[in-house]
Amino acid sequence: MGYYLVEGGRPIGGEFAVRGSKNAALPILAATLLAKDEVVLENCPLIRDFYLTLDILKSLGCRVELKDRTVVIDTKKIQDVKIREETVQKMRSSILFLGALLGREHRAILGHPGGCAIGKRPIDIHLRAFEKMGVEIEEKEGLFYCTAPHILGYHIYLNYPSVGATENILLLAVKAEGVTVIHNAAREPEIVALVRFLRACGAEIYGEGTPSIMIEGVKKLHGAYFSIPFDRIEAGTLLCASAMTGGEISLMGAEKGDMEATLEAMEKTGCQFTFEAEKICMKPPKKLKSGFSLVTGPFPGFPTDMQPIMMSLLTLARGTCMISETVFEARFRHGEELCRMGANIVIEDRVAQINGCKGLHGAEVFGRDLRGGAALLVAALAAEGKSTVYGSEYVERGYERIEDVFSLLGGKIRLME
């Protein structure tokens, strides 16, 4: 297990160009299976989950060429339809290959998805929708064996606007016979990015970014050039780190519209923002303030991925903030670790009460999931003294060399293997 050594107490600030989005790139990589011509993706995030997804494509028989942040994918010679169990266990987003493989080859074999342990994330919502569209599913020995002789369009009503389910249904529906409508669809920017990529490949999709998405099936998708949009969670993480340490920061390539809920929450702490085309600038207050409540929820609500990082910021804010986590039931484990650093946090079920403290001190803490690990790094940068943050393998799943980024922006942090 890798870990970070952090010497806190230094302002994080300056200019930084935000990289491509993890949550947008992974479903788009799965979607390349549907195009029988070459696909070129630019501005890719060079993170652990990105490389794992490329390995999946290679294992299926795709030709993959990566140079800098641009990847070229040729799916003409797919030789397999099974996603290996060990890969599936490492990364939950591998479930998206189910919809893509069924849309392409009309059959797929997949194990139970894994990923970060932040709570139950059942895939039955995916499978029920697939069955309505003509997919036959048999589970045996821990594997899902799926066949789809005829994929038929259908009106799918989601009981929750699940991002993963919306993406998977989109991947299956683009080559279905007839029209599919996803009701109560997820509206996240990453859904919009996936639709725009599929449309660039020739798909007929309407209504992305709204609760109802209509897909008219087509017989064939062609290749395309596409640029992965910026990572709004990386941007939010850097903004919180700067605000917590008293630095001023400018983020190039970031757009206000995709980050409204995060920016509004930070404004309540006293942070001031100015906006230009694809640029967000932040100036922190002399003293962070609290006294409000946050509730995580589907877009355009406050993103659950930002909850751990925002909790770190609020530990130093004057007053009390209540955070209600409505998306994942086990996403407060970083709270106990923050308390090791001097935070005053009381957690009961899915509600956390963060009472601002005068300061944090260095400590040995353990990150047990991607965003929780990032939250501890942000806190360590603001703490007095030295901290050891374990769990770098989780952080590396979603942040590209975050130790280099924070060092570039004024922090003192090293990754140790």
Side-chain angles (χ1 to χ4, degrees):
M1 178 184 290
Y3 60 94
Y4 298 96
L5 294 179
V6 185
E7 292 186 29
R10 293 171 169 81
I12 300 298
E15 285 194 349
F16 185 76
V18 182
R19 279 80 65 92
S21 167
K22 164 190 180 286
N23 291 338
L26 302 187
I28 289 172
L29 285 172
T32 62
L33 289 178
L34 295 165
K36 293 198 174 182
D37 298 314
E38 197 173 80
V39 169
V40 180
L41 301 177
E42 300 176 331
N43 195 36
C44 295
L46 306 181
I47 55 177
R48 182 170 294 189
D49 278 12
F50 172 76
Y51 290 117
L52 280 172
T53 308
L54 293 188
D55 287 342
I56 292 176
L57 289 168
K58 292 175 185 176
S59 71
L60 295 174
C62 301
R63 178 175 61 84
V64 176
E65 297 178 3
L66 177 64
K67 183 177 182 181
D68 299 325
R69 296 183 180 277
T70 299
V71 63
V72 179
I73 301 168
D74 187 340
T75 68
K76 292 188 186 72
K77 297 182 180 180
I78 287 181
Q79 301 167 346
D80 202 355
V81 294
K82 181 179 180 181
I83 309 299
R84 297 173 183 172
E85 295 92 327
E86 60 270 23
T87 303
V88 175
Q89 283 298 313
K90 291 178 183 177
M91 186 176 60
R92 179 175 174 77
S93 63
S94 54
I95 184 66
L96 299 175
F97 280 92
L98 188 57
L101 281 170
L102 286 168
R104 165 73 179 255
E105 298 292 316
H106 295 273
R107 59 194 182 97
I109 303 171
L110 185 79
H112 283 276
C116 287
I118 56 177
K120 296 178 181 178
R121 293 188 281 181
I123 65 169
D124 58 324
I125 189 173
H126 303 237
L127 302 182
R128 284 198 304 268
F130 282 9
E131 287 177 329
K132 291 176 180 178
M133 297 176 68
V135 179
E136 300 171 2
I137 302 170
E138 181 182 3
E139 184 179 3
K140 56 183 180 181
E141 298 179 350
L143 294 173
F144 293 103
Y145 291 81
C146 304
T147 56
H150 301 287
I151 305 171
L152 303 174
Y154 199 86
H155 280 250
I156 305 293
Y157 294 85
L158 299 179
N159 56 13
Y160 181 85
S162 163
V163 172
T166 301
E167 291 169 338
N168 230 344
I169 296 166
L170 277 166
L171 295 177
L172 183 65
V174 289
K175 296 183 72 177
E177 296 178 24
V179 175
T180 300
V181 180
I182 308 174
H183 300 278
N184 198 27
R187 299 162 57 188
E188 273 71 6
E190 294 78 21
I191 297 291
V192 175
L194 175 60
V195 169
R196 289 176 178 171
F197 168 73
L198 290 170
R199 190 179 290 136
C201 294
E204 297 287 342
I205 308 174
Y206 312 92
E208 71 274 14
T210 77
S212 294
I213 302 177
M214 184 176 73
I215 308 103
E216 294 184 14
V218 297
K219 291 185 178 180
K220 181 180 178 181
L221 294 181
H222 52 72
Y225 282 80
F226 192 80
S227 182
I228 304 298
F230 85 102
D231 193 317
R232 60 193 176 109
I233 307 302
E234 179 184 63
T237 301
L238 297 179
L239 289 172
C240 284
S242 291
M244 200 171 179
T245 58
E248 297 184 20
I249 193 168
S250 297
L251 298 180
M252 319 301 290
E255 297 182 12
K256 176 184 177 183
D258 290 348
M259 298 185 63
E260 291 282 5
T262 296
L263 299 177
E264 288 176 5
M266 293 189 68
E267 284 177 337
K268 291 178 181 178
T269 70
C271 295
Q272 297 178 356
F273 292 92
T274 56
F275 306 99
E276 301 176 20
E278 295 190 351
K279 183 177 181 181
I280 297 176
C281 302
M282 189 277 300
K283 181 178 181 180
K286 291 183 179 180
K287 179 63 181 177
L288 294 164
K289 58 185 179 181
S290 186
F292 57 93
S293 297
L294 285 176
V295 180
T296 64
F299 190 87
F302 187 80
T304 181
D305 279 358
M306 277 302 303
Q307 175 263 110
I309 296 102
M310 194 69 189
M311 182 182 288
S312 287
L313 175 65
L314 291 166
T315 61
L316 296 184
R318 186 191 304 115
T320 297
C321 182
M322 307 295 290
I323 297 180
S324 299
E325 175 57 67
T326 70
V327 181
F328 296 118
E329 75 276 10
R331 202 163 203 176
F332 279 150
R333 295 195 298 171
H334 51 280
E336 181 180 344
E337 300 301 303
L338 289 170
C339 289
R340 292 175 184 264
M341 306 176 77
N344 183 351
I345 302 171
V346 180
I347 297 172
E348 185 173 345
D349 196 21
R350 290 194 178 195
V351 179
Q353 177 179 303
I354 303 98
N355 305 300
C357 63
K358 292 184 178 180
L360 301 176
H361 55 75
E364 187 177 82
V365 292
F366 295 81
R368 295 180 174 87
D369 62 80
L370 166 55
R371 305 304 175 184
L376 296 176
L377 280 182
V378 169
L381 290 165
E384 287 297 322
K386 298 180 180 180
S387 294
T388 302
V389 181
Y390 290 95
S392 64
E393 67 272 21
Y394 296 113
V395 177
E396 290 172 324
R397 288 189 53 224
Y399 295 91
E400 180 185 330
R401 300 191 66 86
I402 195 170
E403 68 279 6
D404 291 348
V405 176
F406 283 137
S407 296
L408 177 69
L409 295 174
K412 193 167 184 181
I413 174 174
R414 287 189 295 157
L415 172 61
M416 310 297 290
E417 297 295 342

